[in-house]
Every structure is written in structure tokens, then in C-alpha cells.
Amino acid sequence: MISTRTTPEAAEAGLEELRVLHALNRAVDSLIEGCIRDQLSLAQTFQRILPEVLKETGAQGIAVTTRNEELAEQTFHAGDFGGVFPGPLLAGPHGTRREGSGTRVSQTLDVMGQTVGHIGLYLVGDHTQPEHAQRLERMLDTVAEQLDTVLLLVHTASEKQELILRLNQLLANPVFEAGMDQVVLTLAQRVRVPGFLLVYRDAVRHSVLHYRVYRNGHLEHDSGDKPSAELDALLRTHGTELLQPGEERLKRALGQPRVMEAVLISGHLQSEQLGRILLWSGEEGFSSHTMDLVRVLASTLSQRLVDYNRERTHLSKFFPAEAIDELLQVPDYAARFLVGRDEEVGILFADLNGFTRLCEQLESPARIGRFVDRWSERMVELLWRHGGVFDKMVGDCIIGLFGPPFFRGSRRERCEALVRAACDIQRTTVAMSADPEVRTICERVGMPGLGVAVGLNLAPTLCGFFGPNQDYTGFSTGMNQTARLQSLAGFREMLVMEPVKQALEGSQDAFLQSLTYGELTETPVKNVAKPLRHHRLHLPD
């Protein structure tokens, strides 16, 4: 315990004084043990201890200024300091000195080399004579040494709680990866964590694992921009098996003698393994304090991953994985990209030909559902491959938007992507006719195979999240026009509104240059003021 005194260097205590100090030490130690056993708060502990110290020392007042469990500075006191609050007195110079009509003796409280507060006694009269002052200072030092036990427990627990709260705040960063980087750096600044590996499951592509590797708090590898060849090879070979608790291959890959792990689970009734944390420190291992922090971090990180995965899963209803990754790198992505935005958008409606007749042959709802799922999954993948957004599916009709969510590129580029996607959807649907079961069903209803009736448009459209479920969709007269246009299309027929054809004029894309168009046609349709001006689009043979 560090003590600053105004008196000359103390002489050694005599035998009688040593007995007094020993008795004082035992008394305070016994009181502290009782407080710990009874799990008292810091205030309750000082309420029990300080009056007894007054009796043992003969002082009139005693005070301790330190941080409480909330890490806020607080002064605990018993007795009287000459009618004044003792807090400011303890903040002054330490040692033994006159204070009004009495004497104040005080010193610094120290835990593991760190100042954590001050302690002081107040006695009536003048006790500044060197010999008397030295005895008082030794008594105070004895009490302070014992209080170290209480303060060490309180401050360790409080600082751990403060760190946990800080880590939670960092994990709340809307950009998960950025928050994780800050968490590991902050942890490494407070406790020794030479190596840290996080492996976690992709929310949308469940067989895909992501990882982040840190050395001394700094990012060394990640599965995106800074990959590790060794980890990539391991993940390709063993996949989600590596998330199993105690799985040794990841540990062996780290090449470290002592590795600590924590498994991240969803916390739901049917717990899903979300990922693993692995930490290593060479031969030294980790303190119980560090291990406690990591276990709490694992619990918090599990919940953050659940929230992050829920966010990704919702976005995956509309956007491809690459767009989701880009969105989630922007803290305010929803406000910047997903609120209602009026832009010129490529619009696609693609309806499966003869679906009603096909359903009659499929007979059971389960078979119909499986067929629709199989077809629609492949069509949505094609939308995404060409940069489109999946708006929704109405019955057997796929609706796609080209332009959102970032609205990059020119109107020509949006139409190029729109038409390419439509052509791929038509060809892929036709190719599915080769399936023996599909071919048999088509023959039964007198159809030469599968096909889609497609309507394409380019029109100003308000796009964004709307409705109670916050679905990404578009609203415009152009959307209504495209729906009516698609209903005009026949078997394997693609109809294109005039603005799409005009936007593609001058395109340098070789495939699009190979396409041909029918004559401009004007067709009146229900609930649309003007006739639709459109062309039939012909695929090359």
C-alpha cells in the first residue's frame, strides 16, 4: 500500500504496538470475511466495517473514497470529521496534518499498483507529533491493506462489467464485421489475447462458413478480402462439421499448444450452432478473468449473430448475397438505399404458361408446391445473376426489378440486364421440359413443353420497403402496364414495351444485337388509360 506522509520516516513499531496492529488486522479481516460470506454490497460492507475500525483506533471519524459497483466515485464514512463532509478532505495532501481543531491522517488506496481511492481518519486534538503521527499512519495502513481484498473484488467485478457493457455497445454496430473488429481490439487492450478466431455460419447459404482471424487485437485474415489459404482449404473440405463443439481440426490448424473455445448457439428451443470462437496464447494459457470475459462475449455474440442472421435472411428474400454484403457494410443502409425512391426501373413479369392445366395433372397440393418451388427458385437465381431484385411471386408469376437497390448504371444498362434475364428465364424454363416427369405431364395436357409469357417495361417506379412486413416492392403505372402486357403474351412469347426497345438502341452487346423485334403494336387494355405500345421480342434460333 502506498502512503505519502508529512512526518519523518517512521521508526519501527514496538512490540506492544505490533500486538495492537495484529489485533486490528485480525478484527478487520474477520469483518471482511463475514461481508464476503454474506455477499454484502460495498455500502453495506463499509457500514459494517467502519464503525468497528473507529472503536479499534479510537478515532472520531473514518472515511473511504473509492469507486462503487457502478464505477462512480463515492465517499463512505462513519463518525464525525469536525462537522464537515470528509470527501474533499481526503482529496487533499496525504499524511498527518491539522484539520481545524483536530487531526486528519490519510493515504492513497492502491490495488495492484493502481490508485483506486483514499482513506482517512479524524481525531480530536493535535496528533501531529512525529511518534504519534507514525503510529496513526501504521494503523491506517493496516486497515487499508485489509480493504484491498474488498476493493480488489469490487473493482475487478465492476471493471469486468464495464468492459462487457463496452463490448456489447461495440457489437451493436450496424456493420457486424466492423463491430467485431472493435470488440477484439478492445478486449486485447484489456486482457492478453494473442490470437482470436471467429468462425460463423452464413445466414442464407447455410453450408457456407465465414471467418475472421486476429493477432493481438488486429485483423489478420478474413474470408472475404484477406483470406487464409489454409483455413479456406479446411472449410472447403469439412464445412459445417468444423462448428461442432470440441472439433479438433480447427485447433490443429492453428498450431497452438493451448486453445480455448466457446461455441456460439442460437439460444432457441432447438439450438442451432451459429459458430465458434477459438483463442490461443502459447504456453501461458488464460486467466480465469479472461475466460469469464470470453464466455460472456460468446453469449452476447450469439445473440448478435441471431439478429444479424435475421437481418440477412429478411434481405435475402429480395436481394442476392453480393448485394446483401454490400448493404450491410453501410451503417444506415436502410435509410440510404431501401426507403421509397422514385427511379426509372426495368420491370419484368414472367408467368408460367398453362399452369392451371399443369396443376390438374400434378393433382396433389404437395406436388404442385414442389414443382413451383423448383421452378421459381431457378428463376429467382437468374434474376439475381443479372443484377435484378426479386419483388414477389403472384401465383406462378415472377416479378423482378432492375435498378434497385443501388440504382447504378444507365437506363440502357438496366434494360440490357432486364432483357438478358428474360431471355435466360425463357430458355431455362424451356430446358426444364426435358425432365421426364415434366415432359409426360405436358404431353397429357397437349403442351409441347414448358414456357413463360413475359412482359418487359422501363418506367419510373417508387421502390423500397413497404407494408407491415417491410417487403421490397415497387409501385407505379408502369408496374400495372407490365402486368397487363404480360397477360397479352402467348406461349413462350416475350412482349417489350416501346421504352425498353428505345433504350437498347445503340447497345454494343453482341447478344442483344442478335435479337429481333416485331412491329410496333398498340393494344388497349383494361384499367390503363392509353393503349400499350409494345413489340414482340424474338430469340435467335
Side-chain angles (χ1 to χ4, degrees), residues 51-329:
E52 296 301 319
V53 172
L54 288 181
K55 294 178 185 177
E56 295 288 337
T57 60
Q60 180 172 304
I62 182 171
V64 175
T65 296
T66 186
R67 290 186 296 172
N68 58 25
E69 291 89 344
E70 288 75 40
L71 297 181
E73 185 174 281
Q74 185 174 350
T75 297
F76 305 90
H77 57 95
D80 178 57
F81 270 72
V84 298
F85 178 67
L89 301 180
L90 298 187
H94 292 313
T96 303
R97 62 185 60 242
R98 292 302 303 273
E99 199 69 59
S101 60
T103 302
R104 185 254 300 168
V105 54
S106 62
Q107 70 173 70
T108 299
L109 288 169
D110 173 274
V111 175
M112 297 186 297
Q114 180 181 356
T115 298
V116 296
H118 313 279
I119 183 171
L121 294 171
Y122 181 80
L123 298 94
V124 176
D126 184 359
H127 299 270
T128 57
Q129 299 86 352
E131 183 178 350
H132 198 181
Q134 291 164 12
R135 283 200 302 271
L136 289 173
E137 290 169 3
R138 284 193 286 266
M139 292 179 70
L140 185 63
D141 196 57
T142 298
V143 174
E145 288 285 356
Q146 283 297 323
L147 290 181
D148 278 354
T149 304
V150 175
L151 296 179
L152 178 61
L153 292 172
V154 170
H155 283 266
T156 299
S158 298
E159 288 182 355
K160 181 167 72 174
Q161 182 63 24
E162 182 186 41
L163 178 56
I164 290 169
L165 291 174
R166 177 59 180 154
L167 297 181
N168 287 348
Q169 291 172 350
L170 295 174
L171 275 178
N173 189 318
V175 180
F176 172 75
E177 294 84 356
M180 195 66 219
D181 293 349
Q182 294 170 333
V183 162
V184 178
L185 179 59
T186 301
L187 184 66
Q189 290 170 342
R190 301 289 285 272
V191 296
R192 189 173 178 276
V193 184
F196 188 110
L197 167 64
L198 168 66
V199 182
Y200 58 101
R201 188 192 303 266
D202 189 280
V204 180
R205 299 159 292 176
H206 295 291
S207 62
V208 175
L209 297 181
H210 303 283
Y211 61 83
R212 300 182 80 76
V213 182
Y214 302 86
R215 298 277 182 178
N216 297 311
H218 298 282
L219 183 67
E220 182 177 62
H221 295 293
D222 74 82
S223 48
D225 299 328
K226 302 169 68 177
S228 159
E230 185 177 8
L231 280 176
D232 281 349
L234 196 62
L235 266 59
R236 281 195 303 270
T237 304
H238 302 290
T240 55
E241 295 175 11
L242 299 172
L243 297 184
Q244 296 297 323
E247 213 287 331
E248 293 294 327
R249 281 169 289 206
L250 267 179
K251 294 182 178 180
R252 289 197 296 268
L254 296 174
Q256 297 292 328
R258 303 187 68 175
V259 178
M260 172 188 174
E261 80 163 310
V263 178
L264 310 177
I265 60 174
S266 65
H268 298 152
L269 292 177
Q270 294 181 332
S271 295
E272 178 188 16
Q273 288 161 357
L274 303 172
R276 290 172 76 190
I277 294 173
L278 298 176
L279 296 89
W280 60 96
S281 64
E283 295 287 352
E284 295 85 354
F286 294 101
S287 67
S288 59
H289 176 64
T290 300
M291 294 173 70
D292 284 345
L293 284 173
V294 171
R295 280 189 282 267
V296 174
L297 173 60
S299 176
T300 304
L301 181 54
S302 294
Q303 184 56 52
R304 178 66 181 94
L305 276 173
V306 168
D307 296 339
Y308 178 67
N309 289 348
R310 185 183 299 117
E311 191 173 19
R312 286 188 68 92
T313 300
H314 181 64
L315 293 173
S316 71
K317 295 178 181 179
F318 320 103
F319 308 110
E322 296 77 13
I324 296 172
D325 290 340
E326 186 172 351
L327 284 169
L328 292 178
Q329 292 302 309

Side-chain angles (χ1 to χ4, degrees), residues 354-370:
F355 181 67
T356 302
R357 287 184 288 163
L358 292 172
C359 288
E360 290 175 353
Q361 295 300 316
L362 290 169
E363 297 175 348
S364 75
R367 290 187 68 192
I368 295 171
R370 286 194 297 270

